[in-house]
Amino acid sequence: MAFKATPQKFTAKINALTVGTGDREISLGGENVFPFYSFDAPIENSPKIGIEIHDAGHYAGIPGMDEYYAGADTLAETARRAAAVEGADFLAVSFDGAHPDGGDRSVEDCVAVIKEIADAVDIPIVIEGSKSIDKDVKLFDKISEALSGRNILVLSAREENYKSIAASVGLAYSQKVGAESAVDINLAKQLNVLISQMGVKSENTAMNLGSAAAGYGFEYVASTIDRVKAAALAQNDMMLQMPIVTPVGAEAWSVKEAIVSEEDFPEWGPMEIRGINMEVSTAAACLAAGSNAVILRHPESVKAVSRFIKALI
Amino acid sequence: MALKGLDIFKLTPKTNCKDCGNPTCMAFAMKVAQGAVDLAKCPHLSDEAKAQLGDATAPPMKKFNIGAGESVFALGGETVLFRHDKTFVSKNLYAVNVCEGSFDEKLPDIKRVDYDRLGERMYVELLNLQFTGDAGKYAELVKKALDAGRGIILECRDAAAARAALELCAASKPLLNGADAGNYAEFGALASEFGVALGVGGNSLDELYDTAAALEKLGNKELVLDVGSTSIKDAFAWAVQIRRAALRDNDRVFGYPAIVNPARLAPGDEYLQTALASLFTLKYGSIIVMEKMSYAQALPLYGLRQNIYTDPQKPMKVEPGIYPLNGAGEDALCVTTVDFALTYFVVSGELERSGVPLNLLISDAGGYSVLTAWAAGKLSASSIAKFVGEFEIESKLKSRTLVIPGKVAVLKGEIEEKLPGWTIVVAPNEAVELVKFFKEYKAG
């Protein structure tokens, strides 16, 4: 009497979203099984990893980063260095410095920044915003125009500004649109519906459902992603079949465990190792729940999560 | 096939006698159907009904304990594949792998990680004692492990060495992990003789299935299924298929907890082990064996586990009290928020980032978020005044300025009335704005 395996293959699928062009083009999603359930059916595209830099360079506050990026004096060189990390599938550029309270870098300057970066690398580019609703509208419009033909993913169309962003990024420049909502299945679905009503095909959108570092309410993240994938696959809910892209680095590198100094908490050991473990643990948990891509900051985290994905696919 | 509550109800005496601890026979039947209560709790069922219900109502996954004394740990008893369907019940346990050569070196590091997070002790619960071929040395290892105050896993496929080890430590109810297709009869008998749970492995999922079935037939009802160490991919595939067979397909043969061994799946690779432990926390590892457990690994892993195993119906709470931040003394500014763990962590994290010494006052707000607590009447001028009184804030602290959450700005006037002599300051609505707020507050 042998074990009778009953595979759980769904007729519905997660949409496959392509980002980038040429040899380095990537596809996110496309699977018709739960995350890493390759024993049920082959996984169409393995989950992808993005490495994150921002508009002024690398994240210098994170230990180990100055060493890794040493000598990279220009944005172009920083971007090349990031893209060269083993396991990095795409480059994520965050415009932290464009927020009115965070430097207020002008849209023109931001366009110059992204052009310099884009000219330096051939891997796909994902744009993260300034976190300012109004600024992002102008910023994404100009960036999408400047990188026309690069097939970028612009991550942050929110409830308050999706109309302008969907119209410019998605329709005028045919770039890919990422819908960003709070960690909640209903809000996520609503935003997807609204964006699709604007005329952006759901095959051209991704979702950012938000994240939380391990230990900081991650149960909401896990259960939301679990439910989104169940609705997308088991109930064929077409408004939840977009691949999920989850920025992890920003969350992981802001919690106490990753940022207090070793002098203050000698028992805890070196800050860099703590932060990498936090980033890796959170990323692995997101991928286990169903994220199709994670965005990370530390090169060692990128390498480790890449080993993790390779071992499971 | 699982029975519905109504089918079970029809077979109950329908007397609502409450002998089972439930208010009505219907309530009892519903719980039995969910696998939450054992049928045997009803003393009045006819033999006929018992026979009819017997197997069909047994919980889909066995629940039992390993360990003894202060180190007793529950395993299994899960009823759902996804926590949003109900809740996960027995949190995964962490073990560190030790062998005769490495024990003395590893023990101090294992003991160092031992802390409290939201009222839960975070530490390495189990020691995985790996047999390396010498029964005499293994016995020495067991003796040392007995003094460490942790639960014990005997990972040993040598029957003679296992017997010698069990003679030393059977009283502490270890898990004997060593049965396979070749030795199961002997190991099954050993586990029964010493009254311990038995771990069983196999070269394939089919072989594991058959061996588990054979052991159950021999009377071993407390099994732990070893997902093996051939590959990471297989270990995950086994863990999912075992749990899914038990809970979705009601296949009792696989209705047991699983043990996974990242120490062997990714030797020497700390970060990959952290990633694997995170994966198996979400998906179906009941015991996770690590090469080591540093603070850097423990902090995210135990936090993640606490999140995943939290009951969706019971919010995580922090204890009410005074939490001094950034070296705050009695003169430092007072700040208050609710006791909902997520709010506390987010707010205290931002306050720490501000670098400004502050005393964070946490009152009992029922474990709700700020607005929910306010709407439910758990966070009010009275509740804050009551807290200030009960915790003798006015004698413990000198500051008479209290910063309240922006979302309950409406409480300002009322609190000032209830706390004469205090100045109430309203903070921004969102936690992310706190760093700026307090830096400027200090400057101003």
Side-chain angles (χ1 to χ4, degrees):
Chain A
M1 188 185 66
F3 171 59
K4 201 165 108 307
T6 319
Q8 194 169 21
K9 218 166 40 172
F10 300 98
T11 47
K13 277 183 165 208
I14 302 302
N15 300 332
L17 176 80
T18 60
V19 185
T21 54
D23 292 349
R24 299 299 300 264
E25 178 187 278
I26 52 167
S27 290
L28 307 176
E31 75 275 8
N32 66 337
V33 289
F34 284 136
F36 299 120
Y37 285 23
S38 56
F39 41 88
D40 282 342
I43 308 260
E44 193 85 1
N45 299 298
S46 67
K48 300 292 186 285
I49 305 169
I51 186 160
E52 190 175 35
I53 58 173
H54 63 104
D55 52 314
H58 66 270
Y59 284 94
I62 294 175
M65 299 289 259
D66 284 344
E67 290 75 5
Y68 179 77
Y69 287 99
D73 299 328
T74 60
L75 275 169
E77 186 50 33
T78 302
R80 270 193 289 269
R81 205 69 72 81
V85 172
E86 197 187 325
D89 298 298
F90 63 90
L91 182 69
V93 185
S94 169
F95 283 85
D96 304 340
H99 191 281
D101 293 341
D104 206 12
R105 187 190 291 277
S106 72
V107 171
E108 292 69 40
D109 279 2
C110 291
V111 168
V113 160
I114 199 63
K115 273 188 172 164
E116 186 182 348
I117 290 172
D119 287 343
V121 298
D122 60 355
I123 65 171
I125 294 175
V126 170
I127 304 292
E128 296 178 88
S130 65
K131 301 205 163 57
S132 155
I133 301 283
D134 298 331
K135 188 72 174 269
D136 278 358
V137 169
K138 294 171 224 148
L139 187 63
F140 292 158
D141 178 58
K142 293 295 176 199
I143 287 178
S144 297
E145 182 185 18
L147 297 194
S148 180
R150 287 295 292 266
N151 195 21
I152 60 170
L153 168 63
V154 176
L155 250 198
S156 193
R158 290 189 271 177
E159 199 186 344
E160 299 89 344
N161 60 11
Y162 75 90
K163 278 188 187 159
S164 320
I165 291 174
S168 69
V169 174
L171 299 176
Y173 302 110
S174 302
Q175 310 278 25
K176 302 295 159 65
V177 178
E180 180 184 341
S181 55
V183 184
D184 181 297
I185 185 171
N186 297 311
L187 294 178
K189 180 170 173 174
Q190 177 183 304
L191 187 56
N192 289 339
V193 170
L194 292 171
I195 289 176
S196 75
Q197 283 172 352
M198 291 285 299
V200 180
K201 286 195 185 133
S202 50
E203 294 80 22
N204 290 331
T205 57
M207 288 187 268
N208 169 11
L209 302 166
S211 185
Y216 288 81
F218 194 84
E219 68 271 28
Y220 298 102
V221 180
S223 286
T224 302
I225 302 181
D226 277 346
R227 292 178 64 203
V228 166
K229 290 295 175 186
L233 295 173
Q235 293 153 32
N236 193 20
D237 187 332
M238 292 166 73
M239 282 300 121
L240 288 169
Q241 285 169 348
M242 298 77 175
I244 298 171
V245 178
T246 310
V248 166
E251 298 291 339
W253 290 100
S254 66
V255 296
K256 183 177 176 180
E257 288 86 338
I259 59 172
V260 295
S261 70
E262 194 177 350
E263 293 95 77
D264 290 344
F265 288 81
E267 281 284 280
W268 286 11
M271 189 172 153
E272 182 173 8
I273 301 191
R274 273 186 268 134
I276 295 170
N277 271 296
M278 181 58 81
E279 193 168 32
V280 166
S281 173
T282 305
C286 288
L287 293 168
S291 293
N292 295 93
V294 288
I295 295 174
L296 308 173
R297 290 187 175 171
H298 202 292
E300 287 307 318
S301 306
V302 172
K303 289 181 204 164
V305 175
S306 170
R307 293 197 292 278
F308 172 74
I309 292 172
K310 282 210 182 82
L312 281 161
I313 294 285
Chain B
M1 190 57 210
L3 284 175
K4 290 205 177 69
L6 275 180
D7 302 327
I8 299 164
F9 175 67
K10 282 178 197 152
L11 296 166
T12 64
K14 304 193 194 78
T15 51
N16 298 341
C17 67
K18 302 185 181 61
D19 289 355
C20 62
N22 291 284
T24 62
C25 289
M26 185 56 137
F28 172 72
M30 288 300 174
K31 283 194 184 163
V32 174
Q34 289 171 359
V37 166
D38 189 359
L39 190 67
K41 288 266 181 201
C42 174
H44 311 295
L45 278 183
S46 66
D47 286 344
E48 191 192 340
K50 274 185 206 156
Q52 211 172 330
L53 292 171
D55 251 16
T57 57
M61 183 184 184
K62 293 250 170 45
K63 185 173 185 179
F64 55 89
N65 294 334
I66 57 171
E70 286 181 13
S71 300
V72 176
F73 308 102
L75 286 170
E78 304 298 343
T79 57
V80 291
L81 286 169
F82 293 97
R83 63 177 291 284
H84 65 256
D85 284 334
K86 200 168 164 210
T87 178
F88 290 163
V89 292
S90 301
K91 68 181 180 189
N92 56 282
L93 305 172
Y94 277 106
V96 165
N97 188 57
V98 289
C99 53
E100 206 273 327
S102 69
F103 185 85
D104 294 336
E105 186 195 330
K106 277 183 166 183
L107 189 65
D109 286 337
I110 292 169
K111 289 203 155 173
R112 212 148 48 87
V113 174
D114 197 337
Y115 60 100
D116 178 278
R117 191 178 200 264
L118 296 175
E120 184 182 345
R121 184 181 173 202
M122 302 301 189
Y123 67 120
V124 175
E125 288 96 355
L126 305 167
L127 299 174
N128 188 63
L129 310 187
Q130 187 188 349
F131 177 65
T132 49
D134 184 324
K137 285 184 178 167
Y138 197 58
E140 289 308 309
L141 176 63
V142 171
K143 279 185 206 156
K144 285 182 187 171
L146 277 171
D147 291 333
R150 307 292 162 103
I152 292 174
I153 304 171
L154 299 170
E155 190 190 28
C156 174
R157 291 190 183 184
D158 181 300
R163 169 173 289 279
L166 282 169
E167 275 163 3
L168 292 168
C169 71
S172 52
K173 297 282 172 203
L175 165 66
L176 172 62
N177 187 13
D180 57 30
N183 69 14
Y184 74 87
E186 199 175 356
F187 269 71
L190 258 183
S192 299
E193 181 185 337
F194 289 95
V196 297
L198 182 62
V200 50
N203 290 315
S204 68
L205 206 48
D206 280 342
E207 191 181 292
L208 178 63
Y209 188 87
D210 291 341
T211 312
L215 278 166
E216 193 165 49
K217 222 176 238 171
L218 291 176
N220 292 95
K221 307 267 185 201
E222 295 184 353
L223 302 177
V224 175
L225 307 173
D226 193 324
V227 300
S229 49
T230 44
S231 78
I232 287 170
K233 195 173 167 172
D234 281 350
F236 181 64
W238 288 25
V240 171
Q241 291 182 88
I242 286 169
R243 186 71 62 87
R244 196 167 67 182
L247 301 189
R248 184 193 64 181
D249 306 333
N250 254 299
D251 189 333
R252 295 289 148 75
V253 176
F254 272 163
Y256 293 101
I259 181 169
V260 297
N261 197 325
R264 207 159 299 146
L265 291 168
D269 191 339
E270 170 181 337
Y271 299 141
L272 184 51
Q273 287 189 32
T274 297
L276 291 173
S278 308
L279 170 75
F280 286 114
T281 297
L282 264 70
K283 293 260 168 100
Y284 318 139
S286 293
I287 299 175
I288 300 175
V289 183
M290 305 288 279
E291 215 161 29
K292 59 173 181 148
M293 179 63 83
S294 66
Y295 251 109
Q297 291 175 291
L299 293 168
L301 291 177
Y302 288 127
L304 181 67
R305 177 179 79 179
Q306 194 170 44
N307 284 166
I308 296 300
Y309 282 87
T310 185
D311 183 341
Q313 280 142 35
K314 276 187 221 139
M316 288 201 294
K317 286 158 68 169
V318 288
E319 284 301 307
I322 306 169
Y323 292 81
L325 304 173
N326 303 324
E330 53 184 16
D331 293 315
L333 204 59
C334 298
V335 186
T336 189
T337 191
V338 291
D339 58 346
F340 177 41
L342 201 50
T343 306
Y344 165 80
F345 276 126
V346 171
V347 170
S348 66
E350 295 296 331
L351 296 179
E352 279 176 348
R353 259 155 41 111
S354 78
V356 180
L358 299 162
N359 281 308
L360 180 57
L361 309 181
I362 299 292
S363 63
D364 181 359
Y368 294 121
S369 65
V370 171
L371 276 181
T372 318
W374 173 73
K378 303 267 185 189
L379 174 65
S380 63
S382 318
S383 78
I384 290 173
K386 190 171 156 221
F387 171 82
V388 169
E390 275 178 7
F391 281 78
E392 298 166 357
I393 302 298
E394 296 189 346
S395 61
K396 286 180 188 157
L397 303 177
K398 287 199 176 133
S399 168
R400 290 292 176 269
T401 302
L402 178 65
V403 184
I404 62 169
K407 284 184 175 152
V408 289
V410 292
L411 293 178
K412 181 176 178 341
E414 224 180 307
I415 301 174
E416 279 170 346
E417 268 173 41
K418 300 232 174 197
L419 291 177
W422 283 75
T423 307
I424 306 302
V425 175
V426 177
N429 270 349
E430 300 297 331
V432 288
E433 298 163 281
L434 287 172
V435 174
K436 194 165 170 259
F437 176 81
F438 280 106
K439 276 189 174 156
E440 284 166 10
Y441 190 91
K442 187 185 172 192

